[in-house]
Amino acid sequence: MKMSRGLLAEFASADALVAGVVALESHGYSQLETYTPFPVPGLERRLRLGHSRLPLLVFAGGVIGAILGYGIQWYADVRAYLLNSGGRPAHAVPAFIPATFEATILGAALTGFVALLIALRLPALWHPVFEVEGFESASVDRYWLAVGADDRLFDHNGTRAALDALGPLRVVPIPEMVA
Amino acid sequence: MIRANRWRPVRVWLAIGAAGLVLSVIGFVTDPHQAYASWLAAFAAGVSIALGALILVAVTHLTGARWFDPLRRIALDIAGTLPLFALLFLLLLPGVGRLYPWAHAPNAVNAAYLNPAFFVIRAVVYFAIWIAVGLTLRRWALARSTGAELPPSQRERALAAVALPALGLTLTFAAFDWLMSLTPAWSSTIFGVYWFAGGFLAALALVALAGALGPMPLDEDRGYALGALLLTFVVFWAYIAYCQYLIIWIGDVPAEVAWYVPRVRGSWGALALVLLFGQFLLPLLALLPHAAKVSSRMLAPVAAWLLVMHYLDCYWLVLPALHPDAVHAHWLDLGALAAVAGTAGAWATWLHAT
């Protein structure tokens, strides 16, 4: 038997996929991954992905952006180059707000973009599931469920039997390496 | 027993309203300047919430917001208090001469617009439109077989489409007439949007509060939709408030800053900061987390807080015209607030029970 990274089951409907996830989790599997052509309602909760840290990172990025945006204006107008503009105070809080706001958005958006790339290990040009014949249907009309070989309960024959019991269209191994 | 319980909230609100009315009537006689200013602040806060609820119904009719279906009855009952606000407005009329400086300036440049007769005619037009739209939308919603919880019918959506521009214009002019003209030489074209933003935010808050405290607590989707809208309009209110302030601050022309000078100094300035934090920064942070939006128990206190802030916002708009030097909290402020909130609460809960 060839070494594999896990097993992949193809389902014809989102309901069958969700039922499969529920069944495998009740068996105790934890390294599950799904591939669907659209976000399936309730699937994320079923997969017990845990809380994303992204919102906190984005918030922190926004706060840092705000501080930098305000700080650079304060430094320029109050410390580095005092400019009397019609007798208004050098530390002109209302006038500093628009750029501070923009810097907040920039900080939050850039943090979100970069953190998401890192969290998803992108950009990646190749992934083992791409080697499975017909996997591109995951972005058309099929629903795929993967069980990772790193799962505590993973056992090639036993897991294949468990997947077969869910009534998939087919079960295929995820190849380890490209030949 | 069940019938008695149904009417209990109406009686409680009515008692509050009656006590407030008695205090206010005493005030109209003994201290009219204070009494009418207090009355205007409470009235402006209340009527803007009823209008906000009406606009919320019209907008959700047009966008086809299905999540709003179970909450529509609450918003329709709030908008259904508009006839009451027409009555409450009548009590304001004897005070026009005391509240508005233009009432004694028949030769001022804007006297063709700002004079008592035209002021009353315009108010009649505003209320006629608001009441006609509010009552018709409510009657049509209740006429549907199983009540207001179904998606709106075609005629309701058509009326909402026709009414929205009219509501936007009349609300803007009402803000100019009732609030902005307290300082007749001053004008800000964004002023109507400012009053709308506060009223719509408070209407959303009241719908969220009534929904959260109602017999059917908000589910996750509904809570999230309301929480996200509250967050949006907290930011929208702050954005409008800031736009008006920035343009006038940076222009720094005596005629334009005249309205802000009393409102940002001393204790009025402290109240402005309370609004900046209480109606923007704190609710912004409170509503940011996803968990806060999907839970009734988190939304309800934020919504109640925002309602208090909206009253303080209207107070800050009106009362500096009477006391430019500093905040003078008065028992008539509470009297007027109790009268408006009590009678409107009784009216809305009565509509809800029938």
Side-chain angles (χ1 to χ4, degrees), chain A residues 26-98:
Chain A
S26 72
H27 290 325
Y29 284 95
S30 56
Q31 298 300 313
L32 302 181
E33 182 66 278
T34 56
Y35 305 89
T36 59
F38 57 84
V40 175
L43 190 57
E44 278 175 54
R45 225 173 307 153
R46 294 276 187 225
L47 283 170
R48 293 182 207 148
L49 295 174
H51 279 286
S52 167
R53 275 165 299 173
L54 208 54
L56 269 182
L57 281 173
V58 170
F59 183 77
V63 170
I64 291 168
I67 292 169
L68 287 179
Y70 196 93
I72 198 167
Q73 295 176 83
W74 178 83
Y75 174 76
D77 286 356
V78 182
R79 300 304 296 271
Y81 195 81
L82 264 176
L83 186 67
N84 186 338
S85 169
R88 289 179 201 88
H91 189 186
V93 180
F96 287 4
I97 297 295

Side-chain angles (χ1 to χ4, degrees), chain A residues 99-155:
Chain A
T100 306
F101 171 73
E102 301 292 348
T104 310
I105 304 298
L106 182 68
L110 276 183
T111 311
F113 181 67
V114 173
L116 195 67
L117 286 188
I118 294 171
L120 299 180
R121 299 189 204 108
L122 289 174
L125 297 178
W126 180 82
H127 190 277
V129 292
F130 295 168
E131 298 302 319
V132 172
E133 191 67 33
F135 181 76
E136 61 275 14
S137 66
S139 57
V140 187
D141 58 352
R142 291 291 153 80
Y143 308 81
W144 295 77
L145 170 57
V147 185
D150 50 345
D151 197 297
R152 206 164 38 82
L153 293 177
F154 189 82
D155 154 68

Side-chain angles (χ1 to χ4, degrees), chain B residues 310-338:
Chain B
H310 180 56
Y311 171 71
L312 289 182
D313 187 13
C314 291
Y315 191 82
W316 180 79
L317 290 180
V318 172
L319 268 296
L322 178 67
H323 306 296
D325 55 327
V327 179
H328 291 277
H330 199 279
W331 57 271
L332 280 169
D333 297 331
L334 283 181
L337 182 61

Side-chain angles (χ1 to χ4, degrees), chain B:
Chain B
M1 200 59 205
I2 290 164
R3 283 191 64 81
N5 280 339
R6 240 173 71 188
W7 298 109
R8 228 184 105 209
V10 181
R11 282 204 293 269
V12 172
W13 282 115
L14 210 54
I16 297 172
L21 269 177
V22 169
L23 289 179
S24 296
V25 169
I26 295 171
F28 290 145
V29 178
T30 59
D31 189 357
H33 278 100
Q34 175 68 47
Y36 285 115
S38 300
W39 189 261
L40 178 60
F43 168 81
V47 77
S48 64
I49 293 175
L51 277 173
L54 184 54
I55 291 172
L56 179 61
V57 170
V59 168
T60 49
H61 273 6
L62 292 180
T63 57
R66 296 296 310 275
W67 63 269
F68 193 67
D69 289 346
L71 297 167
R72 181 169 300 118
R73 177 67 199 271
I74 297 173
L76 282 168
D77 290 338
I78 298 169
T81 58
L82 281 165
L84 168 76
F85 281 100
L87 297 177
L88 297 179
F89 183 77
L90 288 179
L91 288 175
L92 197 65
L93 288 181
V96 165
R98 292 192 165 86
L99 277 170
Y100 300 103
W102 49 259
H104 307 294
N107 299 319
V109 276
N110 47 13
Y113 184 84
L114 288 180
N115 60 74
F118 195 27
F119 177 84
V120 173
I121 292 170
R122 286 193 305 270
V124 169
V125 172
Y126 307 152
F127 273 113
I129 292 173
W130 299 344
I131 292 170
V133 174
L135 295 193
T136 310
L137 281 181
R138 186 166 182 279
R139 188 175 313 122
W140 285 352
L142 295 180
R144 282 184 257 133
S145 53
T146 46
E149 274 155 39
L150 285 175
S153 60
Q154 206 53 45
R155 60 176 182 176
E156 289 172 77
R157 304 190 65 191
L159 175 58
V162 174
L164 266 181
L167 292 177
L169 281 174
T170 48
L171 185 151
T172 302
F173 278 95
F176 290 170
D177 288 5
W178 302 343
L179 299 173
M180 199 168 85
S181 79
L182 288 165
T183 314
W186 181 81
S187 72
S188 163
T189 48
I190 209 173
F191 192 86
V193 186
Y194 178 84
W195 190 51
F196 159 76
F200 193 77
L201 173 61
L204 280 169
L206 189 54
V207 169
L209 186 64
L213 299 179
M216 276 199 323
L218 301 169
D219 60 25
E220 263 193 30
D221 289 345
R222 238 167 292 293
Y224 183 81
L226 272 175
L229 273 178
L230 279 172
L231 180 62
T232 307
F233 276 86
V234 161
V235 176
F236 182 72
W237 173 84
Y239 171 69
I240 299 300
Y242 168 72
C243 282
Q244 179 176 282
Y245 182 73
L246 174 72
I247 289 166
I248 289 173
W249 178 88
I250 215 152
D252 207 16
V253 178
E256 291 177 4
V257 300
W259 187 80
Y260 271 110
V261 167
R263 283 171 178 80
V264 296
R265 282 197 178 151
S267 48
W268 287 119
L271 182 58
L273 284 178
V274 167
L275 289 172
L276 171 64
F277 281 88
Q279 191 153 247
F280 173 55
L281 286 172
L282 292 179
L284 174 78
L285 291 176
L287 289 168
L288 266 183
H290 183 266
K293 288 188 274 264
V294 297
S295 139
S296 288
R297 289 170 61 189
M298 305 269 270
L299 271 186
V302 176
W305 171 265
L306 283 171
L307 287 171
V308 175
M309 284 300 132
H310 180 56
Y311 171 71
L312 289 182
D313 187 13
C314 291
Y315 191 82
W316 180 79
L317 290 180
V318 172
L319 268 296
L322 178 67
H323 306 296
D325 55 327
V327 179
H328 291 277
H330 199 279
W331 57 271
L332 280 169
D333 297 331
L334 283 181
L337 182 61
V340 171
T343 50
W347 194 286
T349 44
W350 169 69
L351 286 177
H352 205 68
T354 47

